[in-house]
Amino acid sequence: MSMFLEYNKAIKNYTKFDDWYLWVQMYKGTVSMPVFQSLEAYWPGLQSLIGDVDNAMRTFLNYYTVWKQFGGLPEFYNIPQGYTVDKREGYPLRPELIESAMYLYRATRDPTLLELGRDAVESIEKISKVDCGFATIKDLRDHRLDNRMESFFLAETVKYLYLLFDPDNFIHNDGSVFDVVITPYGECVLNAGGYVFNTEAHPIDPAALHCCRKRKEEQWEVEDLMREFYSLKKNKKFPLKRTSDHGEGESAKDPEDASSEKGGEKRNTKKSTHSLLSCPSQSFNSKLAVLGQVFLDNT
């Protein structure tokens, strides 16, 4: 928190202008681009988590005006001109503004945030819905669509919309309800709330993380390795094959090999070229994604 507050102070001093946050030069702090990028729309939600609700709402309302102007957030929005930036007019159904609405609604219960949720649902249904899913909006100016749907639309955007309109969801638990679980390592309190979302909004229970850290991680790793070793030893189906230390075409025999051959059995001494754990190689086209736009390797 101490680190974040230090960064937050610099952000306010150098990038904040009239409740917008502009791009600035890293070393001088001067404005480099007077734009709003849609990925920045998570910021009001983060502000709400530290109690800076008033500033968060003012910035959120700025972003909401952009949504109402186009029916979505363009990748880049030129603030002085009040319009999209060339070649950044698309909206790939990103979740950041809706994420902020969810967190801010938990903090304020302001119905304006539900209005944003309603507008988002209606815009996405009307503009981007196709027979097989929800397409990226290639250009918000005329609502042309692209032939793609990003994974984060289902993982994040729809999930945050659902949570915005479901105030009693277990994700919103305030700690008043929880489960006590007895494990081999002691008693754990789980499902008490305070969930942390990872990059694509998969919820992580911090209480479970705390419980798992009660014993030394190294000790757990050793125990897991020992269990795996004895499990493999018990269920081993593939005998290890001996490999020759001599040159190619030569074979070395030890007394056990000789005795087995005499008994009419032959052991394979040829070195195996295939791992028991392997994946088939698959051809692919390398791609480079820059600000949401994908470029093939031949461009």
Side-chain angles (χ1 to χ4, degrees), residues 167-197:
D168 298 324
N169 192 280
F170 76 95
I171 291 290
H172 300 313
N173 188 3
D174 61 2
S176 57
V177 179
F178 54 86
D179 298 323
V180 177
V181 180
I182 306 300
T183 75
Y185 310 111
E187 187 176 272
C188 286
V189 176
L190 302 177
N191 304 321
Y195 290 88
V196 177
F197 290 107

Side-chain angles (χ1 to χ4, degrees), residues 93-156:
L93 310 182
R94 294 197 185 278
E96 283 76 16
L97 186 64
I98 300 165
E99 175 188 4
S100 284
M102 181 199 72
Y103 282 120
L104 277 168
Y105 185 70
R106 296 294 301 168
T108 66
R109 300 292 179 174
D110 189 327
T112 302
L113 300 159
L114 296 181
E115 293 176 12
L116 176 277
R118 178 203 61 200
D119 291 347
V121 171
E122 292 178 351
S123 296
I124 291 169
E125 283 277 334
K126 181 178 180 180
I127 300 172
S128 69
K129 187 175 182 179
V130 293
D131 291 340
C132 56
F134 292 84
T136 287
I137 302 173
K138 189 173 185 177
D139 193 330
L140 279 169
R141 296 172 300 179
D142 56 15
H143 294 168
R144 284 183 293 123
L145 301 180
D146 202 353
N147 186 25
R148 58 189 294 178
M149 183 178 75
E150 301 289 351
S151 63
F152 54 70
F153 170 69
L154 294 178
E156 297 181 78

Side-chain angles (χ1 to χ4, degrees), residues 82-298:
Y83 208 62
T84 62
V85 175
D86 187 39
K87 297 183 179 179
R88 295 291 181 268
E89 308 93 345
Y91 173 53
L93 310 182
R94 294 197 185 278
E96 283 76 16
L97 186 64
I98 300 165
E99 175 188 4
S100 284
M102 181 199 72
Y103 282 120
L104 277 168
Y105 185 70
R106 296 294 301 168
T108 66
R109 300 292 179 174
D110 189 327
T112 302
L113 300 159
L114 296 181
E115 293 176 12
L116 176 277
R118 178 203 61 200
D119 291 347
V121 171
E122 292 178 351
S123 296
I124 291 169
E125 283 277 334
K126 181 178 180 180
I127 300 172
S128 69
K129 187 175 182 179
V130 293
D131 291 340
C132 56
F134 292 84
T136 287
I137 302 173
K138 189 173 185 177
D139 193 330
L140 279 169
R141 296 172 300 179
D142 56 15
H143 294 168
R144 284 183 293 123
L145 301 180
D146 202 353
N147 186 25
R148 58 189 294 178
M149 183 178 75
E150 301 289 351
S151 63
F152 54 70
F153 170 69
L154 294 178
E156 297 181 78
T157 307
V158 174
K159 186 179 298 178
Y160 289 134
L161 279 170
Y162 187 96
L163 291 173
L164 173 63
F165 290 107
D166 185 15
D168 298 324
N169 192 280
F170 76 95
I171 291 290
H172 300 313
N173 188 3
D174 61 2
S176 57
V177 179
F178 54 86
D179 298 323
V180 177
V181 180
I182 306 300
T183 75
Y185 310 111
E187 187 176 272
C188 286
V189 176
L190 302 177
N191 304 321
Y195 290 88
V196 177
F197 290 107
N198 75 352
T199 305
E200 287 220 346
H202 303 298
I204 300 170
D205 187 348
L209 294 180
H210 175 74
C211 178
C212 292
R213 292 179 60 186
K214 284 186 176 179
R215 303 192 82 193
K216 291 183 179 179
E217 184 177 348
E218 294 83 359
Q219 184 177 350
W220 279 45
E221 289 178 354
V222 170
E223 291 179 3
D224 289 341
L225 287 172
M226 293 299 291
R227 289 194 198 96
E228 184 178 356
F229 172 77
Y230 284 114
S231 175
L232 289 174
K233 188 175 181 180
K234 183 178 179 180
N235 302 317
K236 184 170 62 176
K237 297 179 181 179
F238 301 97
L240 294 176
K241 297 178 180 179
R242 296 180 182 273
T243 59
S244 172
D245 291 330
H246 298 278
E248 188 175 344
E250 294 182 74
S251 62
K253 299 178 183 178
D254 59 19
E256 290 183 8
D257 290 331
S259 62
S260 65
E261 284 192 64
K262 288 179 182 179
E265 295 181 4
K266 277 192 175 182
R267 292 194 181 189
N268 183 7
T269 59
K270 183 179 179 182
K271 186 175 182 180
S272 175
T273 58
H274 297 284
S275 169
L276 295 178
L277 297 176
S278 62
C279 298
S281 60
Q282 299 180 6
S283 60
F284 67 94
N285 289 325
S286 59
K287 296 181 179 180
L288 173 66
V290 178
L291 297 174
Q293 188 170 358
V294 176
F295 302 88
L296 295 177
D297 55 353
N298 59 355

